[in-house]
Amino acid sequence: MSHKPTESLDRRDFMIASIATVGASAALAAHVGKASAQDAAAPSADAAAGAPSATVYTGDVIEGKKVVSALDVNDLEPGKKHLLYFQGVRMPTGQYWYVSVTVARGAKPGKRVVLTSGVHGDEMSSVHTVHSVMNQLDPAEMSGTVMAVTDVSRPAIEGMQRRWPNFGRGNDLIDMNREWPGNENGATAPSRHAGLLFNRLLRPNADAAIDFHTGTTGFDVTAFNIGGTDVPEIKAMLELYPVGQIFDSHVYPGVLHNAFVDAGIPAFCPEIGAARVLDLEMISLFVEGTMNVLKHHGIVAGPMGRTGKDVTVFVGNSAFPILATHGGLVEHLVKLNDKVEAGQKVAVQRNSFGEVVAEYTSAVAGEVTGQRSDAMSEPGNPLAFILFNKAPPEGVEAYPE
Ligand SMILES: [Zn+2]
């Protein structure tokens, strides 16, 4: 849970700093010195320092929903559900990318849990999981607050694609789950959007957080959770899900759940099967687990549902990637969740003549946690990830979120 240094300046910060030091116009310098790239109304210094910032209504209303540029859920009326838009980053047209915010503010005080989805734009089961949890909540009966943001990376969702289409320096696609905690004055729109959301919406309202994902287009995954079990508060939540795999790892920096952890907020990342589709059966497991988490935190009353104790959970601390070495059609010889042995053949690949050009084996014993679902592959594509245990863990991990 180390704090990351926030004083590092990116390109745009340097630009602001350098304009401010030119000194040709004291008035201009003073103005530029205060301005952020977003010039939003909320006090960014307070937000960046982690101080609670009051709710700021922009005065806009979109389809009957009020727009905020900063939110403190404690400002909302208890015992009710609130539907708001948060004003995200500004687009090239000068308009904004708004995100949808649903707050179930309990009648009684208590813990605050934040649920997010749509950091990647093609992961629809994650969105439906959050919807399903929110629809089960009755604020009049709750002690505490649950806030949901289902469409974090709006422009990626508009195209149902993983990455954010960015146009700052020509056409570009940016993976928003490498941008957290973001930078309100960052060089790219996704970085600024991440900074605005994290500083003014997500972190100030979270005592715990869950960032829901699925596999990505062309690559399916099992039902599993990613989180660091060395943090007791995270381990307790991970074990409340009736799903068969836990990837016990801090993975790498830049992902949203790690930004929460770095801010001292326990967080983890569920992975809910294939991209693009709604896997209703798998979704129901994560809804049950998430309701368990809300009961664990005392927000919702009632008996626990099924947990990890009711299923066989395989816990691995590493994901072994099997990468294509050739081009051609890939045929898997194992299925998701299958146990594999070290040396076991897991896939073959054929060229355009039907000749076998590659046979792929797992170098480790473990369980299949992800598989390429697009049948064609070029060299370098991951064909499978095998969840396994290595000791001690070292370095950064690759994983198929
Ligand atoms: Zn994802």
Side-chain angles (χ1 to χ4, degrees):
M1 293 206 184
S2 62
H3 269 280
K4 280 192 190 137
T6 54
E7 60 270 24
S8 64
L9 291 173
D10 73 359
R11 187 183 180 89
R12 182 175 293 265
D13 289 333
F14 276 121
M15 288 163 61
I16 291 171
S18 59
I19 293 168
T21 54
V22 166
S25 159
L28 173 68
H31 171 74
V32 171
K34 279 185 201 167
S36 76
Q38 188 71 20
D39 61 45
S44 67
D46 287 353
S53 55
T55 300
V56 177
Y57 289 95
T58 67
D60 296 323
V61 176
I62 301 173
E63 294 187 333
K65 296 170 179 77
K66 289 179 180 171
V67 176
V68 295
S69 59
L71 181 65
D72 178 349
V73 292
N74 291 323
D75 293 337
L76 302 174
E77 186 182 345
K80 287 196 168 166
K81 251 178 213 175
H82 304 267
L83 308 182
L84 303 163
Y85 278 115
F86 178 84
Q87 178 181 282
V89 75
R90 209 190 278 272
M91 293 184 258
T93 55
Q95 300 188 45
Y96 295 95
W97 283 116
Y98 299 100
V99 298
S100 313
V101 183
T102 305
V103 180
R105 172 100 204 270
K108 295 181 209 137
K111 289 258 186 86
R112 304 160 308 156
V113 170
V114 167
L115 311 176
T116 52
S117 64
V119 172
H120 290 134
D122 57 348
E123 304 184 355
M124 313 332 291
S125 284
S126 65
V127 178
H128 193 270
T129 301
V130 176
H131 288 165
S132 302
V133 170
M134 297 307 289
N135 286 338
Q136 288 193 21
L137 299 180
D138 177 2
E141 301 295 322
M142 287 167 48
S143 303
T145 299
V146 182
M147 182 176 81
V149 184
T150 56
D151 48 7
V152 169
S153 185
R154 271 282 314 286
I157 292 174
E158 300 292 357
M160 209 163 84
Q161 64 182 10
R162 178 180 177 86
R163 290 174 291 174
W164 176 305
N166 185 61
F167 304 104
R169 296 186 173 102
N171 289 358
D172 199 1
L173 288 167
I174 294 178
D175 186 334
M176 204 183 175
N177 216 24
R178 304 294 180 270
E179 295 289 336
W180 303 94
N183 178 348
E184 293 187 16
N185 294 312
T188 68
S191 171
R192 295 193 294 276
H193 191 69
L196 290 165
L197 265 67
F198 197 70
N199 295 336
R200 300 163 191 256
L201 179 66
L202 302 176
R203 190 202 53 207
N205 293 302
D207 295 315
I210 311 173
D211 182 35
F212 294 85
H213 284 254
T214 74
T216 195
T217 297
F219 196 91
D220 293 353
V221 302
T222 64
F224 71 107
N225 283 310
I226 302 169
T229 63
D230 57 328
V231 181
E233 300 95 320
I234 297 174
K235 182 170 189 279
M237 292 192 282
L238 292 173
E239 291 174 344
L240 292 174
Y241 283 77
V243 300
Q245 293 180 347
I246 292 175
F247 183 9
D248 176 14
S249 170
H250 290 278
V251 293
Y252 35 76
V255 301
L256 176 53
H257 75 273
N258 276 343
F260 279 115
V261 173
D262 287 343
I265 299 161
F268 62 97
C269 170
E271 296 278 353
I272 314 170
R276 306 191 78 81
V277 298
L278 294 186
D279 186 332
L280 295 177
E281 197 176 330
M282 207 180 273
I283 286 168
S284 71
L285 303 178
F286 286 93
V287 172
E288 193 167 357
T290 304
M291 292 303 294
N292 288 342
V293 168
L294 300 182
K295 291 166 188 169
H296 167 75
H297 287 299
I299 297 171
V300 171
M304 284 280 174
R306 291 170 299 166
T307 70
K309 287 184 181 145
D310 299 303
V311 297
T312 306
V313 183
F314 179 79
V315 183
N317 64 10
S318 190
F320 179 80
I322 297 170
L323 303 177
T325 57
H326 287 68
L329 276 172
V330 175
E331 180 183 347
H332 292 292
L333 306 177
V334 292
K335 299 191 299 295
L336 289 172
N337 286 109
D338 279 0
K339 289 195 182 300
V340 298
E341 296 301 324
Q344 182 175 339
K345 197 192 298 182
V346 297
V348 297
Q349 191 173 27
R350 294 181 178 84
N351 65 12
S352 300
F353 297 96
E355 298 169 301
V356 173
V357 290
E359 294 185 339
Y360 298 98
T361 58
S362 175
V364 299
E367 280 191 15
V368 181
T369 196
Q371 276 185 323
R372 185 175 175 83
S373 52
D374 280 358
M376 286 291 280
S377 177
E378 63 186 8
N381 290 146
L383 302 181
F385 279 93
I386 311 296
L387 187 64
F388 77 111
N389 276 289
K390 72 173 178 187
E394 57 186 55
V396 293
E397 302 290 348
Y399 74 99
E401 49 74 53

